[in-house]
Amino acid sequence: MSPTITTSSEANGNVSAATARAAASAAASAEATGPQPVTMAKALNTALADAMHADSSVLVFGEDVGLLGGVFRITDGLTATFGEQRCFDTPLAESGIVGMAVGMAINGMRPVIEMQFDAFAYPAFEQIVSHVAKMHNRTKGTVKLPMVIRIPYGGGIGGVEHHCDSSESYYAHTAGLKVYTPATVADGYRMLREAIDSDDPVVFMEPKKMYWTKDSVDLGELRRLHTEGTTTGRTSEGRAAVARPGTDATLIAYGPSVPTALAAAEAAALEGRSLEVIDVRTIVPFDDETVCESVRKTGRAVVIAEAHGFASVSSEIVARVQERCFHYLAAPIRRVTGFDVPYPAPKLEKYYLPGVDRILDAVDDLQWEN
Amino acid sequence: MTISADHTATDTPSTAAPENALTEAVQKFGITVEDYMLPARHQIQMVDPDGSLKPKGEQGTQPGHEYPVPGDKELLEAYEQLVVGRRVNDQNSALVRQGRMAVYPSSHGQEACQVAAAMCLSDGDWMFPTYRDAVAVMTRGVDPVQVMTIFRGDWHGGYDPLKYKVGIQCTPLTTQLLHAVGVAHAAKLRGEDTVVLAMCGDGATSEGDFHEALNFAAVFHLPVIFFVQNNKYAISVPLAHQSVAPSLAHKAVGYGMAGERVDGNDVVALLAVLDRAVKLAREGSGPLLVEANTYRMQAHTNADDDTRYRESAEVAEWRAKDPVNRMRTYLTDRGLLDDDGEARIREHAEAVAAQLREGLGEDVPVDPQELFRHVFAVQTPQLKEQSALLADELARDAAANDSKEAGK
Ligand SMILES: Cc1ncc(C[n+]2csc(CCOP(=O)(O)OP(=O)(O)O)c2C)c(N)n1
Ligand SMILES: [Mg+2]
């Protein structure tokens, strides 16, 4: 047997990163150049394929990810292209998937694993919290776990019970995990590539209602930038984005709430109010700088999240901004979040999820002196 | 399978076992698949509690489950490690009583399992131990003081898992079995012939990850040996409350792997069974399950009171089956061990005990800044901030102390 699969290029391995990188440029396939309408699903799929081209230690596995290409088709075609050794179905067992990935990462691989749905990742919680998050710490960095746990999350697809959950706060609360969540198609590509390159474990939360969102994106260009290392670092790691500039108040959102925040800002503009929208992108590490810069400028803020507000990422954001921007604030920071109830049935979802009107109401409440 | 320069596959063989893999593995023994997977009717025992070699027909073996007695050199080495292991267990318990270690889950009584688990492996193999397997980790070659660091309480780990190919000692029960599966899977994908030994206790076989790990290892046809030390208790709960299976080794058959029961206080039988398991796994048999029938002679840890849940008569009964004494008698009777040999081995054990007393006797200063250093590959701005906060707090404390001293 020839050495078909080698150790991870950066962590726990000994193969130089350059070898892996070199292969990446060869991978640029013959797709159309220039911006094209691309779905989030396609961007994620391309990121996986490109990462697998670039580094033979990148492995993809989970439930139905092989022949079927995943229930959301994010792994479509990977088995056909890379073979059953690199993209394969496991027995139905989430703890098994994560635990096996831990062992593979210990032994030189870069596993990218899929949890089929947010609420079905819970059997793996012990592995994630007790090992994925702690291995680096317990071994003082000797054993790194360069692995990515992809989780489709959030609502908006009319999912029946246990198919829609906003579980990001559990992971964000766990020290030792990075938590990324893209809100644009381009970020889907960029952030997944960066997550795979990261020597730290990343919980990669994919807003499932956005899988079919299309943006005009030049995937070839994104690939080139990633390969050259110009977008990475890495730079977007721990960097929030100003999704829409504004002057009067800041809407802080992430993942599935970003499009809702943008729609609210659009509506507010018609009423003559200029709202800035910050897309948090990486919940961990959190970009205090970008968020606070915006709030200091506008003096008002609303945090938006689908998850229950109580003891959540949104409460953390309010606390951080308040601690850092108190003297700049013209009004208490407001939150628009899911209610503190179990995720509701499809027909009740619209009452639960933060919507444009509820956001605008919160903005109206920010003690404007007319 | 060949892979082109861009790492795509030109053909797609399955990672799973070919359907006839088990049949192939069995063919060499000339028995049925069922007879191969089911443990032998009796546990494998080669040296009885009195230290005499059992006649071949009474060792519990049957066709397809035959085990040659390991060589003299291996047995002498095993005895030496048994003596060292026993000394280490008792030294550590003493260090706990003296407040030098926070806790020590002793494997006193289970040293044969500990020693055999380490000795059956080659340098390139991996071991995934539990909290109770410190002696196995040490026998594998890890520095004893580094092994015990975890129990001293200055960090949640003390040795380099990659250097020794020993997973970090694991407390969340059976979670480490899946890591063993992953290490074996990665090695298999790269075409390496690594064997992985994954350890757990009897109570732990009730955990979900036990099931998931055995199933994954079987489905992906991986060279993992699941080594269950059945010491009869999970803290206070006896095995009867965990399982009503005919034996823990019988669980193997449900996953399509072979299981075997062995006298866990007979290091000769343990080495024989584990050596063969390692050999089979390396040759491509897929995973195996070995249950060692042993006994936890002492309380679960120093914090436990075992008189609340078991009779001292039961403990006394097992004392008569002690693995160390049994081996000493056996080797002495065979003329392989004399007083000089015994003295030399005792000296070795004392030297390791002294090393532990010295290494754990001194207070190592802890560096509070270590808290922030090993969370992520690159420190986050938030951790930098928190680290500065603590540094400032400590500097102010130190300054206050200095002025207090000066004022005296
Ligand atoms: C998931 C989990 N649950 C509970 C515990 C607490 N606990 C530690 S050891 C132990 C008993 C385990 O018994 P067994 O597997 O037989 O191993 P032994 O201690 O006898 O070696 C328990 C319940 C734990 N460590 N992990
Ligand atoms: Mg037990």
Side-chain angles (χ1 to χ4, degrees):
Chain A
M1 191 176 182
S2 56
T4 52
I5 293 175
T6 54
T7 3
S8 161
S9 45
E10 275 154 49
N12 308 336
N14 43 25
V15 182
S16 91
T19 342
R21 288 269 150 66
S25 44
S29 58
E31 74 203 333
T33 48
Q36 304 283 328
V38 177
T39 60
M40 173 75 93
K42 177 67 185 163
L44 295 169
N45 177 260
T46 308
L48 288 173
D50 288 357
M52 292 175 85
H53 271 294
D55 183 346
S56 70
S57 72
V58 176
L59 307 173
V60 171
F61 52 93
E63 296 162 5
D64 299 293
V65 300
L67 200 56
L68 182 68
V71 292
F72 293 107
R73 306 291 183 268
I74 309 303
T75 58
D76 192 28
L78 297 181
T79 300
T81 309
F82 298 98
E84 280 182 29
Q85 298 200 331
R86 305 266 322 270
C87 176
F88 55 88
D89 292 325
T90 64
L92 264 173
E94 293 73 16
S95 187
I97 294 166
V98 175
M100 183 166 77
V102 168
M104 286 182 150
I106 288 174
N107 200 3
M109 298 298 188
R110 282 183 184 268
V112 184
I113 55 182
E114 178 171 302
M115 297 285 106
Q116 198 157 65
F117 282 87
D118 32 36
F120 303 139
Y122 301 135
F125 200 63
E126 182 184 24
Q127 286 287 347
I128 296 174
V129 171
S130 294
H131 295 300
V132 177
K134 289 180 178 166
M135 193 65 79
H136 181 112
N137 188 250
R138 290 188 65 191
T139 62
K140 296 194 175 177
T142 309
V143 179
K144 299 190 174 63
L145 295 183
M147 56 188 277
V148 179
I149 304 172
R150 295 183 34 248
I151 307 179
Y153 84 116
I157 62 159
V160 292
E161 50 105 41
H162 295 115
H163 287 75
C164 289
D165 246 4
S166 298
S167 45
E168 67 272 21
S169 301
Y170 303 129
Y171 305 111
H173 184 71
T174 304
L177 299 175
K178 286 180 171 173
V179 183
Y180 293 8
T181 182
T184 68
V185 173
D187 268 353
Y189 181 90
R190 278 193 291 251
M191 290 173 66
L192 185 51
R193 291 295 309 265
E194 282 160 16
I196 296 170
D197 283 354
S198 168
D199 277 351
D200 293 314
V202 178
V203 178
F204 196 83
M205 311 285 302
E206 300 171 359
K208 65 170 94 75
K209 76 168 187 196
M210 296 180 71
Y211 276 140
W212 303 282
T213 301
K214 270 189 186 159
D215 277 348
S216 181
V217 164
D218 186 346
L219 284 174
E221 177 67 2
L222 288 178
R223 175 184 301 118
R224 193 181 63 74
L225 291 172
H226 181 86
T227 308
E228 287 172 359
T230 22
T231 47
T232 55
R234 349 248 163 92
T235 50
S236 76
E237 193 173 312
R239 295 321 273 171
V242 180
R244 176 188 171 111
T247 52
D248 298 340
T250 302
L251 303 182
I252 305 165
Y254 58 85
S257 296
V258 173
T260 319
L262 286 169
E266 189 69 38
L270 298 176
E271 296 169 9
R273 207 165 253 164
S274 163
L275 302 183
E276 180 147 300
V277 177
I278 302 291
D279 171 1
V280 169
R281 302 172 82 236
T282 61
I283 297 174
V284 183
F286 189 79
D287 182 2
D288 287 305
E289 210 179 300
T290 305
V291 171
C292 291
E293 197 179 292
S294 173
V295 176
R296 286 188 191 119
K297 181 180 77 179
T298 62
R300 290 178 167 83
V302 176
V303 181
I304 303 146
E306 289 189 1
H308 321 137
F310 191 82
S312 68
V313 171
S314 66
S315 27
E316 175 63 24
I317 295 175
V318 174
R320 306 187 74 78
V321 174
Q322 181 271 131
E323 280 170 350
R324 287 165 178 75
C325 309
F326 185 76
H327 291 292
Y328 296 83
L329 289 172
I333 304 166
R334 287 291 312 269
R335 280 190 295 162
V336 180
T337 68
F339 298 120
D340 295 328
V341 300
Y343 200 91
K347 287 185 178 162
L348 290 161
E349 203 179 24
K350 65 172 180 284
Y351 304 106
Y352 169 85
L353 289 174
V356 169
D357 287 345
R358 209 172 281 157
I359 295 170
L360 292 178
D361 286 349
V363 171
D364 283 344
D365 267 1
L366 294 174
Q367 301 182 4
W368 304 91
E369 63 282 336
N370 297 325
Chain B
M1 159 156 165
T2 50
I3 280 199
S4 57
D6 62 359
H7 299 303
T8 55
T10 49
D11 57 357
T12 56
S14 167
T15 43
E19 234 143 71
N20 58 356
L22 204 54
T23 325
E24 265 172 33
V26 175
Q27 261 161 11
K28 61 181 121 187
F29 302 115
I31 53 175
T32 66
V33 172
E34 287 74 15
D35 281 345
Y36 171 73
M37 288 196 290
L38 280 170
R41 258 179 303 286
H42 303 283
Q43 70 170 0
I44 309 299
Q45 186 189 59
M46 291 180 162
V47 174
D48 70 17
D50 297 332
S52 17
L53 187 70
K54 296 183 85 169
K56 236 186 161 7
E58 292 171 25
Q59 291 179 359
T61 57
Q62 62 192 50
H65 296 251
E66 285 127 344
Y67 301 92
V69 177
D72 295 347
K73 196 163 158 268
E74 193 178 355
L75 295 182
L76 267 173
E77 162 74 12
Y79 175 66
E80 178 155 358
Q81 297 297 350
L82 280 179
V83 174
V84 173
R86 172 62 54 85
R87 186 69 189 89
V88 164
N89 273 330
D90 295 346
Q91 178 61 74
N92 285 343
S93 297
L95 285 165
V96 173
R97 288 192 294 274
Q98 294 157 17
R100 284 289 159 197
M101 285 204 284
V103 70
Y104 180 69
S106 177
S107 62
H108 185 116
Q110 298 173 230
E111 289 90 348
C113 298
Q114 298 286 302
V115 166
M119 283 186 62
C120 69
L121 298 174
S122 303
D123 285 349
D125 295 336
W126 271 83
M127 169 194 279
F128 279 84
T130 74
Y131 50 89
R132 197 175 300 287
D133 301 318
V135 169
V137 175
M138 221 188 61
T139 311
R140 174 101 174 121
V142 184
D143 175 80
V145 177
Q146 283 183 21
V147 181
M148 305 317 159
T149 297
I150 199 168
F151 303 116
R152 179 169 58 186
D154 45 285
W155 202 259
H156 294 313
Y159 55 87
D160 175 354
L162 300 179
K163 179 172 170 196
Y164 298 101
K165 297 194 168 16
V166 177
I168 198 153
Q169 277 183 270
C170 186
T171 303
L173 299 169
T174 66
T175 53
Q176 78 282 6
L177 305 184
L178 283 161
H179 308 163
V181 167
V183 163
H185 201 158
K188 183 183 173 184
L189 289 174
R190 287 197 299 266
E192 298 161 2
D193 71 348
T194 312
V195 171
V196 185
L197 185 103
M199 305 170 79
C200 74
D202 50 308
T205 61
S206 301
E207 291 280 359
D209 278 3
F210 175 80
H211 157 71
E212 295 191 20
L214 266 70
N215 194 43
F216 271 54
V219 168
F220 293 114
H221 202 64
L222 301 173
V224 181
I225 294 157
F226 296 96
F227 183 49
V228 181
Q229 290 170 79
N230 173 2
N231 65 7
K232 310 298 178 285
Y233 289 92
I235 308 185
S236 66
V237 180
L239 181 58
H241 290 253
Q242 306 287 350
S243 173
V244 293
S247 81
L248 297 175
H250 277 81
K251 294 195 173 214
V253 67
Y255 300 98
M257 71 173 83
E260 196 71 285
R261 275 177 294 185
V262 55
D263 181 344
N265 286 13
D266 173 4
V267 80
V268 182
L270 278 161
L271 282 170
V273 170
L274 286 172
D275 283 350
R276 189 180 93 144
V278 169
K279 183 170 177 291
L280 288 177
R282 211 183 302 287
E283 286 168 359
S285 72
L288 299 117
L289 171 61
V290 176
E291 174 191 357
N293 172 19
T294 182
Y295 193 77
R296 197 194 73 212
M297 290 299 294
Q298 298 179 343
H300 174 68
T301 66
N302 50 292
D304 174 41
D305 172 10
D306 65 334
T307 61
R308 293 176 71 102
Y309 53 83
R310 66 182 182 188
E311 301 294 330
S312 57
E314 181 185 284
V315 183
E317 206 177 292
W318 276 91
R319 190 162 293 120
K321 302 180 193 171
D322 187 86
V324 188
N325 294 340
R326 182 188 309 203
M327 198 54 183
R328 183 183 312 114
T329 311
Y330 171 66
L331 292 176
T332 310
D333 287 355
R334 282 199 48 207
L336 292 169
L337 184 70
D338 57 15
D339 289 350
D340 283 354
E342 178 71 19
R344 194 191 54 76
I345 288 170
R346 300 264 151 201
E347 217 172 281
H348 175 195
E350 281 314 315
V352 177
Q355 196 188 343
L356 282 166
R357 284 195 302 273
E358 198 181 315
L360 300 167
E362 64 191 65
D363 273 324
V364 274
V366 290
D367 174 3
Q369 288 300 330
E370 287 268 84
L371 284 173
F372 308 101
R373 247 170 236 149
H374 313 288
V375 185
F376 295 108
V378 180
Q379 202 171 51
T380 61
Q382 287 78 16
L383 288 175
K384 267 190 203 123
E385 237 173 65
Q386 291 169 21
S387 139
L389 188 88
L390 179 60
D392 177 59
E393 196 179 296
L394 294 171
R396 280 185 289 118
D397 278 356
N401 272 343
D402 282 353
S403 57
K404 220 189 285 167
E405 292 291 315
K408 265 184 195 161

